[in-house]
Amino acid sequence: MIVESVSATDLRNLRGCIYLRPGLNILLGPNGEGKTNWLEAIFISALGRSFRTSKLGESIRFEFEAASVSAEVRESAEVLRKLGVGIGERSKQLFINDKKAKPNEYSGNLSVVLFNSDELEVIRGGPDARRRFMDEGIEGLHPPFRKVFADYQRVMRQKNALLAKASDGGWGAHQLRDALQPWNEQLIELSSKIHRARVRFVERLSNVLEKRLFSREDVSLRYRSSLEGKGDLDNYAELIAERLDLRLDAELAAGHSLIGPHRDDLEILFDGKDMRKFGSSGQQRSALLLLQLAGIEVFNATRGEYPVFLIDDIDAELDYRRIGKLLEYLRGKTQTIVTTSKESLIDRFGDEANVIRIEGGAARGPA
């Protein structure tokens, strides 16, 4: 899939339209001119949400009440699809070819992968960031799986509300077991699906991981279940059912659920050491890129196409050696859209790129 153009009205400082090409596109301009805002516009066009704020209405230009973004996406020589998002202060509308669309219809029409400083939380942060990385990767491959994750969160909320009520109300174990049974039955089924999907996803990432693309260290991945060492993970449904029964009193005392894949993690290692604890800043950036490149290859193997790769402030996050290796790896694969404020990047890598100068939120033509 290729994004041919992106338009924005009153999204932050953006005005007008930018035109993109296959391969490498570089958005060039001083800081504060709107380069990252254009990446945000592409991201919103793809997913209907922003990577910069959880409240989409906050992306509307100051003193305006609404904004809109749209992207023309080339799927094949015959198919050009227009995706659009209308943004209100507390609402949004999705459009495909100018017709209103439901979220499940909109999802999957444009897939993007984002590399920026915030995404480094996947390497540096807590387990929740790595679970999000896995779950978003699974949803990208199989959009209907989004319902499994949503159902799991719904069941967890209901179960936690019941545990909190029971903890405050002095319920006994027998009374609580009966009340929890329908929620735990759903939890077992949903947890088993999530566990299988994550294990398989990590296996597929590992199979295509370019372990030494950027350095000599051997990068490896391992999915670590919170039930590891508690029994037979190959029979996950039976194991989690046993643990839910055994930990009933502990859950009652805690007032919330203690068992499930919401407590699992993805281990990212280099030469057998924990990347989060022992990796340098450069090694951590390289590890994130390796993860994302592996995800891109798995996506291509599953869907028969590549997602669009967005890289914000590329030369602030990566040195020129890593940039060169990255762009060489991506050549002929993804449409890649990067931002920079440095003319030296254009001197080094701009010969084969579509370079667009951004000033005041608008494209000012080729740089």
Side-chain angles (χ1 to χ4, degrees), residues 176-195:
L176 179 60
R177 181 174 281 107
D178 289 344
L180 286 179
Q181 182 178 353
W183 301 115
N184 278 344
E185 287 176 354
Q186 294 181 67
L187 191 62
I188 291 166
E189 179 183 358
L190 295 166
S191 297
S192 299
K193 290 180 179 178
I194 292 171
H195 175 80

Side-chain angles (χ1 to χ4, degrees), residues 264-319:
D264 295 354
D265 200 357
L266 172 66
E267 287 187 346
I268 305 167
L269 309 171
F270 71 107
D271 291 342
K273 294 177 286 189
D274 188 336
M275 182 66 76
R276 182 176 67 88
K277 295 179 180 178
F278 302 107
S280 68
S281 178
Q283 287 170 328
Q284 291 174 343
R285 285 173 166 81
S286 294
L288 175 60
L289 277 174
L290 292 178
L291 274 182
Q292 293 183 323
L293 294 177
I296 285 171
E297 294 294 350
V298 171
F299 184 94
N300 176 254
T302 303
R303 301 275 297 270
E305 60 185 355
Y306 286 102
V308 176
F309 200 10
L310 310 177
I311 307 177
D312 192 25
D313 210 4
I314 185 170
D315 43 9
E317 299 298 334
L318 303 169
D319 58 47

Side-chain angles (χ1 to χ4, degrees), residues 207-270:
N207 288 339
V208 298
L209 194 69
E210 294 282 347
K211 299 181 179 182
R212 299 189 180 187
L213 180 62
F214 299 109
S215 60
R216 293 188 298 272
E217 293 86 8
D218 190 348
V219 177
S220 59
L221 308 174
R222 189 175 80 90
Y223 185 64
R224 184 162 60 83
S225 170
S226 55
L227 299 186
E228 196 170 288
K230 308 296 184 182
D232 184 9
L233 283 169
D234 290 334
N235 193 348
Y236 186 86
E238 182 176 312
L239 175 59
I240 193 172
E242 291 175 355
R243 298 304 300 176
L244 286 168
D245 187 61
L246 286 171
R247 297 285 284 168
L248 178 67
D249 289 339
E251 289 192 328
L252 177 59
H256 59 84
S257 179
L258 301 174
I259 306 294
H262 63 286
R263 300 175 67 87
D264 295 354
D265 200 357
L266 172 66
E267 287 187 346
I268 305 167
L269 309 171
F270 71 107

Side-chain angles (χ1 to χ4, degrees), residues 135-150:
D135 295 349
E136 288 181 353
I138 292 166
E139 289 177 5
L141 298 177
H142 310 289
F145 212 91
R146 184 175 289 106
K147 185 176 186 301
V148 176
F149 293 121

